[in-house]
Coordinates of all heavy atoms in Angstrom, one line a residue:
E1 N -61.6 31.4 -5.5 CA -62.1 31.8 -6.8 C -62.9 33.1 -6.7 O -63.7 33.3 -5.8 CB -63.0 30.8 -7.5 CG -63.5 31.1 -8.8 CD -64.3 30.0 -9.5 OE1 -63.9 28.9 -9.3 OE2 -65.3 30.3 -10.1
V2 N -62.6 34.1 -7.6 CA -63.3 35.4 -7.5 C -64.4 35.3 -8.5 O -64.2 35.0 -9.7 CB -62.3 36.5 -7.9 CG1 -63.0 37.8 -8.0 CG2 -61.2 36.6 -6.9
S3 N -65.6 35.8 -8.1 CA -66.7 35.8 -9.0 C -66.7 37.2 -9.7 O -66.5 38.2 -9.0 CB -68.0 35.7 -8.2 OG -68.1 34.4 -7.6
I4 N -66.9 37.2 -11.0 CA -66.9 38.4 -11.7 C -68.4 38.9 -12.0 O -69.1 38.1 -12.6 CB -66.2 38.3 -13.1 CG1 -64.7 37.9 -12.8 CG2 -66.3 39.6 -13.9 CD1 -64.0 37.5 -14.0
M5 N -68.8 40.0 -11.4 CA -70.1 40.5 -11.7 C -70.2 41.0 -13.1 O -69.2 41.5 -13.6 CB -70.5 41.6 -10.7 CG -70.4 41.2 -9.3 SD -71.4 39.7 -9.0 CE -72.0 40.1 -7.4
A6 N -71.3 40.8 -13.8 CA -71.3 41.0 -15.2 C -72.2 42.2 -15.6 O -73.3 42.4 -14.9 CB -71.9 39.8 -15.9
K7 N -71.8 43.0 -16.5 CA -72.7 44.0 -17.1 C -73.3 43.6 -18.4 O -74.2 44.2 -18.9 CB -71.9 45.3 -17.2 CG -71.5 45.9 -15.9 CD -70.8 47.3 -16.1 CE -70.4 47.8 -14.7 NZ -69.8 49.1 -14.7
T8 N -72.7 42.6 -19.0 CA -73.2 42.1 -20.3 C -73.7 40.7 -20.2 O -73.7 40.0 -21.2 CB -72.1 42.2 -21.4 OG1 -70.9 41.5 -20.9 CG2 -71.7 43.7 -21.6
W9 N -74.0 40.2 -19.0 CA -74.5 38.9 -18.8 C -75.6 38.9 -17.8 O -75.3 39.3 -16.6 CB -73.4 38.0 -18.4 CG -73.8 36.6 -18.0 CD1 -74.4 36.2 -16.8 CD2 -73.7 35.4 -18.8 NE1 -74.6 34.9 -16.8 CE2 -74.2 34.4 -18.0 CE3 -73.1 35.2 -20.0 CZ2 -74.2 33.1 -18.5 CZ3 -73.2 33.9 -20.5 CH2 -73.7 32.8 -19.7
Y10 N -76.8 38.6 -18.1 CA -77.8 38.5 -17.1 C -79.0 37.7 -17.6 O -79.1 37.5 -18.9 CB -78.3 39.9 -16.7 CG -78.6 40.8 -17.8 CD1 -79.9 40.9 -18.3 CD2 -77.6 41.7 -18.3 CE1 -80.2 41.8 -19.3 CE2 -77.9 42.5 -19.4 CZ -79.2 42.6 -19.9 OH -79.5 43.4 -20.9
P11 N -79.8 37.2 -16.7 CA -81.0 36.4 -17.2 C -82.1 37.2 -17.8 O -82.3 38.3 -17.4 CB -81.4 35.7 -15.9 CG -81.0 36.6 -14.8 CD -79.8 37.3 -15.3
I12 N -82.8 36.6 -18.8 CA -84.0 37.1 -19.3 C -85.1 36.0 -19.1 O -84.8 34.9 -19.4 CB -83.8 37.3 -20.9 CG1 -82.7 38.3 -21.2 CG2 -85.1 37.7 -21.5 CD1 -83.1 39.7 -20.8
I13 N -86.2 36.5 -18.6 CA -87.3 35.5 -18.3 C -88.3 35.6 -19.4 O -88.9 36.7 -19.7 CB -88.0 35.8 -17.0 CG1 -87.0 36.0 -15.9 CG2 -89.0 34.8 -16.7 CD1 -86.1 34.8 -15.5
D14 N -88.6 34.5 -20.1 CA -89.7 34.5 -21.0 C -91.0 34.2 -20.2 O -91.3 33.1 -19.8 CB -89.5 33.3 -22.0 CG -90.6 33.2 -23.1 OD1 -91.7 33.7 -22.9 OD2 -90.3 32.6 -24.1
Q15 N -91.8 35.2 -20.0 CA -92.9 35.1 -19.1 C -94.0 34.2 -19.7 O -94.8 33.7 -18.9 CB -93.5 36.5 -18.8 CG -92.6 37.4 -18.1 CD -92.3 37.0 -16.6 OE1 -93.1 36.2 -16.0 NE2 -91.2 37.4 -16.1
S16 N -94.0 34.0 -21.0 CA -95.0 33.0 -21.6 C -94.6 31.6 -21.2 O -95.5 30.7 -21.3 CB -95.0 33.2 -23.1 OG -93.9 32.8 -23.7
K17 N -93.4 31.3 -20.9 CA -93.0 30.0 -20.5 C -92.9 29.8 -19.0 O -93.0 28.7 -18.4 CB -91.6 29.6 -21.0 CG -91.6 29.5 -22.5 CD -90.2 29.1 -23.0 CE -90.0 29.0 -24.5 NZ -88.6 28.7 -24.8
C18 N -92.8 30.9 -18.2 CA -92.5 30.8 -16.8 C -93.8 30.4 -16.0 O -94.9 30.9 -16.3 CB -92.1 32.2 -16.3 SG -91.9 32.3 -14.5
T19 N -93.6 29.4 -15.1 CA -94.7 28.9 -14.3 C -94.7 29.5 -12.9 O -95.5 29.2 -12.1 CB -94.6 27.4 -14.1 OG1 -93.4 27.0 -13.5 CG2 -94.7 26.7 -15.5
K20 N -93.8 30.4 -12.7 CA -93.6 31.1 -11.4 C -93.4 30.2 -10.2 O -94.0 30.3 -9.2 CB -94.8 32.1 -11.2 CG -94.8 33.1 -12.3 CD -96.0 34.0 -12.4 CE -95.9 34.9 -13.5 NZ -95.7 34.3 -14.9
C21 N -92.6 29.2 -10.5 CA -92.3 28.2 -9.4 C -91.4 28.8 -8.3 O -91.3 28.3 -7.2 CB -91.7 26.9 -10.0 SG -90.0 27.2 -10.7
G22 N -90.6 29.8 -8.7 CA -89.7 30.5 -7.7 C -88.4 29.9 -7.5 O -87.6 30.4 -6.8
A23 N -88.0 28.8 -8.3 CA -86.7 28.2 -8.1 C -85.6 29.2 -8.4 O -84.6 29.2 -7.7 CB -86.6 27.0 -9.0
C24 N -85.7 30.0 -9.4 CA -84.7 30.9 -9.8 C -84.5 32.0 -8.7 O -83.4 32.4 -8.4 CB -85.0 31.6 -11.1 SG -86.6 32.4 -11.3
V25 N -85.6 32.5 -8.2 CA -85.5 33.5 -7.2 C -84.8 33.0 -5.9 O -84.0 33.7 -5.3 CB -86.9 34.1 -6.8 CG1 -86.9 35.1 -5.8 CG2 -87.6 34.6 -8.1
K26 N -85.2 31.8 -5.5 CA -84.6 31.1 -4.4 C -83.1 30.9 -4.6 O -82.3 31.0 -3.7 CB -85.3 29.8 -4.0 CG -86.5 30.0 -3.3 CD -87.0 28.8 -2.5 CE -87.6 27.8 -3.4 NZ -88.2 26.7 -2.7
K27 N -82.7 30.5 -5.8 CA -81.3 30.1 -6.1 C -80.4 31.3 -6.0 O -79.3 31.1 -5.5 CB -81.3 29.4 -7.5 CG -79.9 29.2 -8.0 CD -79.1 28.2 -7.2 CE -77.8 27.9 -7.9 NZ -76.9 27.1 -7.0
C28 N -80.7 32.4 -6.6 CA -79.8 33.5 -6.7 C -79.6 34.2 -5.4 O -80.5 34.8 -4.8 CB -80.3 34.5 -7.8 SG -79.2 35.8 -8.1
G29 N -78.3 34.3 -5.0 CA -77.9 35.0 -3.8 C -77.2 36.3 -4.1 O -76.6 36.9 -3.2
N30 N -77.3 36.7 -5.4 CA -76.6 37.9 -5.8 C -77.5 39.1 -6.0 O -77.1 40.1 -6.6 CB -75.8 37.6 -7.1 CG -74.8 36.6 -6.8 OD1 -74.0 36.7 -5.9 ND2 -74.7 35.6 -7.6
G31 N -78.8 39.1 -5.6 CA -79.6 40.2 -5.6 C -80.2 40.5 -7.0 O -80.7 41.6 -7.3
V32 N -80.1 39.6 -7.9 CA -80.6 39.8 -9.3 C -82.1 39.9 -9.3 O -82.7 40.7 -10.0 CB -80.1 38.7 -10.3 CG1 -80.7 38.8 -11.6 CG2 -78.6 38.7 -10.4
Y33 N -82.7 39.0 -8.5 CA -84.2 39.0 -8.5 C -84.8 39.7 -7.2 O -84.1 39.7 -6.2 CB -84.7 37.5 -8.4 CG -84.3 36.7 -9.6 CD1 -83.2 35.9 -9.6 CD2 -85.1 36.8 -10.8 CE1 -82.8 35.2 -10.7 CE2 -84.8 36.0 -11.9 CZ -83.6 35.2 -11.9 OH -83.3 34.5 -13.0
N34 N -85.9 40.3 -7.4 CA -86.6 40.9 -6.3 C -87.3 39.8 -5.4 O -88.3 39.2 -5.8 CB -87.7 41.9 -6.8 CG -88.5 42.6 -5.8 OD1 -88.5 42.2 -4.6 ND2 -89.1 43.7 -6.2
K35 N -86.7 39.6 -4.3 CA -87.1 38.5 -3.4 C -88.6 38.8 -2.8 O -89.3 37.9 -2.5 CB -86.2 38.4 -2.2 CG -84.8 38.0 -2.6 CD -84.6 36.5 -2.8 CE -83.1 36.2 -3.0 NZ -82.9 34.8 -3.4
Q36 N -89.0 40.1 -2.8 CA -90.3 40.4 -2.3 C -91.4 40.0 -3.3 O -92.6 39.9 -2.9 CB -90.4 41.9 -2.0 CG -89.5 42.3 -0.8 CD -89.5 43.7 -0.5 OE1 -89.7 44.6 -1.4 NE2 -89.3 44.1 0.8
M37 N -91.0 39.8 -4.5 CA -92.0 39.4 -5.5 C -92.1 37.9 -5.7 O -92.8 37.4 -6.5 CB -91.6 40.0 -6.9 CG -91.7 41.5 -6.9 SD -93.3 42.2 -6.7 CE -94.1 41.7 -8.2
Y38 N -91.4 37.1 -4.8 CA -91.4 35.7 -4.9 C -92.8 35.1 -4.9 O -93.6 35.7 -4.1 CB -90.6 35.1 -3.7 CG -90.6 33.6 -3.5 CD1 -89.7 32.9 -4.2 CD2 -91.6 33.0 -2.8 CE1 -89.7 31.5 -4.2 CE2 -91.6 31.6 -2.7 CZ -90.7 30.9 -3.4 OH -90.7 29.5 -3.3
P39 N -93.1 34.2 -5.7 CA -92.3 33.4 -6.5 C -92.0 33.9 -7.9 O -91.3 33.4 -8.7 CB -93.0 32.0 -6.6 CG -94.4 32.4 -6.5 CD -94.5 33.6 -5.6
K40 N -92.7 35.1 -8.3 CA -92.5 35.6 -9.6 C -91.1 36.2 -9.8 O -90.7 37.0 -9.0 CB -93.6 36.8 -9.8 CG -93.5 37.3 -11.2 CD -94.5 38.4 -11.4 CE -94.5 39.0 -12.8 NZ -95.4 40.0 -13.0
P41 N -90.5 35.8 -10.9 CA -89.1 36.3 -11.1 C -89.1 37.7 -11.7 O -89.4 37.8 -12.9 CB -88.5 35.2 -12.0 CG -89.7 34.7 -12.8 CD -90.8 34.8 -11.8
V42 N -88.7 38.7 -10.9 CA -88.6 40.0 -11.4 C -87.2 40.4 -11.2 O -86.6 40.5 -10.1 CB -89.5 41.0 -10.6 CG1 -89.4 42.4 -11.0 CG2 -91.0 40.5 -10.7
I43 N -86.5 40.7 -12.3 CA -85.1 41.1 -12.3 C -85.0 42.6 -12.0 O -85.5 43.4 -12.6 CB -84.5 40.8 -13.7 CG1 -84.5 39.3 -13.9 CG2 -83.0 41.3 -13.7 CD1 -84.2 38.9 -15.3
V44 N -84.3 42.8 -10.9 CA -84.1 44.2 -10.4 C -82.6 44.7 -10.4 O -82.4 45.8 -10.3 CB -84.7 44.4 -9.0 CG1 -86.2 44.3 -9.0 CG2 -84.1 43.4 -8.0
N45 N -81.7 43.7 -10.5 CA -80.3 44.0 -10.4 C -79.5 43.2 -11.4 O -78.8 42.3 -11.0 CB -79.8 43.9 -9.0 CG -78.3 44.3 -8.8 OD1 -77.8 45.1 -9.5 ND2 -77.7 43.6 -7.9
P46 N -79.7 43.4 -12.7 CA -79.0 42.5 -13.6 C -77.5 42.5 -13.5 O -76.9 41.5 -13.8 CB -79.4 43.0 -15.0 CG -79.9 44.4 -14.8 CD -80.4 44.4 -13.3
I47 N -76.9 43.6 -13.1 CA -75.4 43.6 -13.0 C -74.9 42.7 -11.8 O -73.7 42.5 -11.7 CB -74.8 45.0 -12.9 CG1 -75.2 45.8 -11.7 CG2 -75.1 45.7 -14.2 CD1 -74.5 47.1 -11.5
G48 N -75.8 42.3 -10.9 CA -75.4 41.4 -9.9 C -75.2 39.9 -10.4 O -74.6 39.1 -9.6
C49 N -75.6 39.6 -11.6 CA -75.4 38.3 -12.1 C -73.9 38.1 -12.4 O -73.2 39.0 -12.8 CB -76.2 38.1 -13.4 SG -76.3 36.4 -14.0
I50 N -73.5 36.8 -12.2 CA -72.1 36.5 -12.3 C -71.8 36.0 -13.8 O -72.6 35.1 -14.2 CB -71.7 35.4 -11.3 CG1 -71.8 36.0 -9.9 CG2 -70.3 34.9 -11.6 CD1 -71.6 35.0 -8.8
Q51 N -70.8 36.5 -14.4 CA -70.5 36.1 -15.8 C -70.4 34.6 -15.9 O -69.6 34.0 -15.2 CB -69.2 36.8 -16.2 CG -68.7 36.5 -17.6 CD -69.5 37.4 -18.6 OE1 -69.9 38.5 -18.3 NE2 -69.7 36.8 -19.7
G52 N -71.1 34.0 -16.8 CA -71.0 32.6 -17.1 C -71.9 31.7 -16.2 O -72.0 30.5 -16.4
C53 N -72.6 32.3 -15.2 CA -73.5 31.5 -14.3 C -74.8 31.1 -15.0 O -75.4 31.9 -15.7 CB -73.8 32.3 -13.1 SG -74.7 31.4 -11.9
H54 N -75.1 29.9 -14.9 CA -76.4 29.3 -15.4 C -77.2 28.8 -14.2 O -78.1 27.9 -14.4 CB -76.2 28.3 -16.4 CG -75.6 28.7 -17.7 ND1 -74.3 28.4 -18.0 CD2 -76.0 29.5 -18.7 CE1 -74.0 29.0 -19.2 NE2 -75.0 29.7 -19.6
G55 N -76.9 29.2 -13.0 CA -77.5 28.6 -11.8 C -79.0 28.6 -11.8 O -79.7 27.6 -11.6
C56 N -79.6 29.8 -12.1 CA -81.1 29.8 -12.1 C -81.7 29.1 -13.3 O -82.7 28.5 -13.2 CB -81.5 31.3 -12.0 SG -81.1 32.4 -13.3
G57 N -81.0 29.3 -14.5 CA -81.5 28.6 -15.7 C -81.5 27.1 -15.6 O -82.3 26.5 -16.2
N58 N -80.5 26.6 -14.9 CA -80.4 25.1 -14.7 C -81.5 24.6 -13.9 O -81.9 23.4 -14.0 CB -79.1 24.7 -14.1 CG -77.9 24.8 -15.1 OD1 -78.2 24.7 -16.3 ND2 -76.7 24.9 -14.7
L59 N -82.2 25.4 -13.1 CA -83.3 25.0 -12.2 C -84.6 25.2 -12.9 O -85.6 24.6 -12.4 CB -83.2 25.7 -10.9 CG -82.0 25.5 -10.0 CD1 -82.1 26.3 -8.8 CD2 -82.0 24.0 -9.6
C60 N -84.7 26.0 -13.9 CA -86.0 26.3 -14.5 C -86.6 25.1 -15.2 O -86.0 24.5 -16.1 CB -85.8 27.4 -15.5 SG -87.4 27.9 -16.2
P61 N -87.8 24.6 -14.7 CA -88.4 23.4 -15.3 C -88.9 23.6 -16.7 O -89.2 22.6 -17.4 CB -89.5 23.1 -14.3 CG -89.9 24.4 -13.7 CD -88.6 25.2 -13.6
T62 N -89.1 24.8 -17.2 CA -89.7 25.1 -18.5 C -88.8 25.7 -19.5 O -89.2 26.0 -20.6 CB -91.0 25.9 -18.3 OG1 -90.6 27.2 -17.8 CG2 -92.0 25.3 -17.4
G63 N -87.5 26.0 -19.1 CA -86.6 26.6 -20.0 C -86.9 28.1 -20.3 O -86.6 28.6 -21.4
A64 N -87.6 28.7 -19.3 CA -88.0 30.1 -19.5 C -86.8 31.1 -19.4 O -87.0 32.3 -19.7 CB -89.1 30.5 -18.5
I65 N -85.7 30.7 -18.9 CA -84.5 31.6 -18.7 C -83.4 31.4 -19.7 O -83.0 30.3 -19.9 CB -84.0 31.3 -17.3 CG1 -85.0 31.6 -16.2 CG2 -82.8 32.3 -17.0 CD1 -84.6 31.2 -14.8
T66 N -83.1 32.5 -20.3 CA -81.9 32.6 -21.2 C -81.1 33.7 -20.7 O -81.4 34.4 -19.8 CB -82.3 32.8 -22.7 OG1 -83.1 34.0 -22.8 CG2 -83.1 31.6 -23.2
Y67 N -79.9 33.9 -21.3 CA -79.0 34.9 -20.8 C -78.5 35.9 -21.9 O -78.1 35.4 -22.9 CB -77.8 34.3 -20.1 CG -78.1 33.4 -19.0 CD1 -78.5 32.1 -19.1 CD2 -78.2 34.0 -17.7 CE1 -78.9 31.3 -18.1 CE2 -78.5 33.2 -16.6 CZ -78.9 31.9 -16.8 OH -79.3 31.1 -15.7
V68 N -78.6 37.2 -21.6 CA -78.0 38.1 -22.5 C -76.5 37.9 -22.5 O -75.9 37.7 -21.4 CB -78.3 39.6 -22.1 CG1 -77.4 40.6 -22.8 CG2 -79.8 39.9 -22.3
G69 N -75.8 37.9 -23.6 CA -74.4 37.7 -23.6 C -73.9 36.3 -23.6 O -72.7 36.0 -23.6
D70 N -74.8 35.3 -23.6 CA -74.4 33.9 -23.5 C -74.1 33.4 -24.9 O -74.9 33.3 -25.8 CB -75.5 33.0 -22.9 CG -75.0 31.6 -22.6 OD1 -73.9 31.3 -23.0 OD2 -75.8 30.9 -22.1
Q71 N -72.8 33.0 -25.1 CA -72.4 32.4 -26.3 C -71.7 31.1 -26.1 O -70.8 30.7 -26.8 CB -71.5 33.4 -27.1 CG -72.2 34.7 -27.3 CD -71.6 35.6 -28.4 OE1 -70.6 35.2 -29.0 NE2 -72.2 36.7 -28.6
S72 N -72.0 30.5 -24.9 CA -71.4 29.3 -24.5 C -71.9 28.0 -25.2 O -71.3 27.0 -25.0 CB -71.5 29.1 -23.0 OG -72.8 28.9 -22.6
G73 N -73.1 28.1 -25.8 CA -73.7 26.9 -26.3 C -74.6 26.2 -25.3 O -75.2 25.2 -25.6
W74 N -74.8 26.8 -24.1 CA -75.6 26.3 -23.1 C -77.1 26.2 -23.5 O -77.6 27.1 -24.2 CB -75.5 27.1 -21.8 CG -76.5 26.8 -20.7 CD1 -76.3 25.8 -19.8 CD2 -77.8 27.4 -20.4 NE1 -77.4 25.8 -18.9 CE2 -78.3 26.7 -19.3 CE3 -78.5 28.4 -21.0 CZ2 -79.5 27.0 -18.7 CZ3 -79.7 28.7 -20.5 CH2 -80.2 28.0 -19.3
T75 N -77.8 25.1 -23.2 CA -79.2 25.1 -23.5 C -79.9 24.7 -22.2 O -79.4 24.0 -21.3 CB -79.5 24.0 -24.5 OG1 -79.0 22.7 -24.1 CG2 -79.0 24.4 -25.9
P76 N -81.1 25.3 -22.0 CA -81.8 25.0 -20.7 C -82.1 23.5 -20.6 O -82.5 22.8 -21.5 CB -83.1 25.8 -20.9 CG -82.9 26.7 -21.9 CD -81.8 26.2 -22.8
P77 N -81.9 22.9 -19.4 CA -82.1 21.5 -19.2 C -83.6 21.1 -19.1 O -83.9 19.9 -19.1 CB -81.4 21.2 -17.9 CG -81.2 22.4 -17.2 CD -81.2 23.5 -18.2
M78 N -84.4 22.1 -19.0 CA -85.9 21.8 -19.0 C -86.3 20.8 -17.9 O -87.1 19.9 -18.2 CB -86.4 21.3 -20.4 CG -85.9 22.2 -21.5 SD -86.9 23.7 -21.7 CE -88.5 23.0 -22.2
G79 N -85.8 21.0 -16.7 CA -86.2 20.2 -15.6 C -85.4 18.9 -15.5 O -85.5 18.2 -14.5
K80 N -84.5 18.6 -16.4 CA -83.6 17.5 -16.3 C -82.5 17.9 -15.3 O -82.2 19.0 -15.2 CB -83.1 17.0 -17.6 CG -84.2 16.5 -18.5 CD -83.6 16.1 -19.9 CE -84.7 15.6 -20.7 NZ -84.7 16.1 -22.1
K81 N -81.8 16.9 -14.8 CA -80.7 17.2 -13.9 C -79.6 17.8 -14.7 O -79.1 17.3 -15.7 CB -80.2 15.9 -13.2 CG -79.2 16.1 -12.2 CD -79.0 14.9 -11.3 CE -77.9 15.1 -10.3 NZ -78.1 16.1 -9.3
A82 N -79.2 19.0 -14.2 CA -78.1 19.7 -14.8 C -76.8 19.5 -14.0 O -76.9 19.3 -12.8 CB -78.4 21.2 -14.9
P83 N -75.7 19.7 -14.7 CA -74.4 19.6 -13.9 C -74.4 20.8 -12.9 O -75.0 21.8 -13.1 CB -73.3 19.8 -15.0 CG -74.0 20.3 -16.2 CD -75.5 20.0 -16.1
P84 N -73.7 20.6 -11.8 CA -73.6 21.6 -10.8 C -73.0 22.9 -11.3 O -72.1 22.8 -12.2 CB -72.8 21.1 -9.6 CG -72.3 19.7 -10.1 CD -72.9 19.4 -11.4
D85 N -73.5 24.0 -10.9 CA -73.0 25.3 -11.4 C -72.2 26.0 -10.2 O -72.9 26.4 -9.3 CB -74.1 26.2 -11.9 CG -73.7 27.2 -12.9 OD1 -72.5 27.7 -12.7 OD2 -74.5 27.6 -13.7
P86 N -70.9 25.9 -10.3 CA -70.1 26.4 -9.1 C -70.1 27.9 -8.9 O -69.6 28.3 -7.9 CB -68.7 25.9 -9.5 CG -68.7 25.9 -11.0 CD -70.1 25.5 -11.4
C87 N -70.7 28.7 -9.8 CA -70.5 30.1 -9.7 C -71.5 30.8 -8.7 O -71.2 31.9 -8.3 CB -70.7 30.7 -11.1 SG -72.4 30.5 -11.7
C88 N -72.5 30.2 -8.3 CA -73.5 30.9 -7.4 C -74.0 30.0 -6.4 O -73.8 28.8 -6.3 CB -74.6 31.5 -8.2 SG -75.4 30.5 -9.4

C-alpha cells in the first residue's frame, strides 16, 4: 500500500486541551512533529501527514487533535480504545 502525503490534511492541536503527554509526537514517524520539543506537540512539517490518517488523534487522551481537510466524520476517541489506524 502506498501512503499519500497530504497538502490539505494535517493535524491541528488545540493547546487549551493539550496535556503535553507526548503520545502524538511519539506516534508519528512522518516528521510532522518536532521531536526535539517532545513532549510538546509542535507541528513543523504538515505536508508529511498522510491523507486520512488519524493515528496521533486516536491516541490523544483529551481530544486536542483535529485535522484540516477531515470530512470523514471521525471524532476523537478521548482516551478510549480506537480502532487501529493502518496508515502510520
Side-chain angles (χ1 to χ4, degrees):
E1 180 177 318
V2 175
S3 296
I4 300 170
M5 301 308 217
K7 292 185 180 181
T8 58
W9 174 281
Y10 51 89
I12 298 290
I13 311 297
D14 181 340
Q15 295 295 338
S16 70
K17 292 181 181 178
C18 179
T19 62
K20 296 169 187 54
C21 70
C24 55
V25 179
K26 281 200 280 190
K27 170 67 176 169
C28 183
N30 296 311
V32 174
Y33 297 96
N34 181 341
K35 300 276 186 187
Q36 294 177 331
M37 296 295 291
Y38 175 84
K40 182 178 181 180
V42 176
I43 298 167
V44 293
N45 182 30
I47 64 170
C49 194
I50 297 171
Q51 184 76 33
C53 184
H54 294 110
C56 62
N58 282 337
L59 294 177
C60 183
T62 61
I65 300 174
T66 56
Y67 298 86
V68 167
D70 188 357
Q71 303 199 1
S72 69
W74 174 85
T75 56
M78 307 283 292
K80 295 180 180 135
K81 185 164 176 68
D85 204 327
C87 66
C88 52

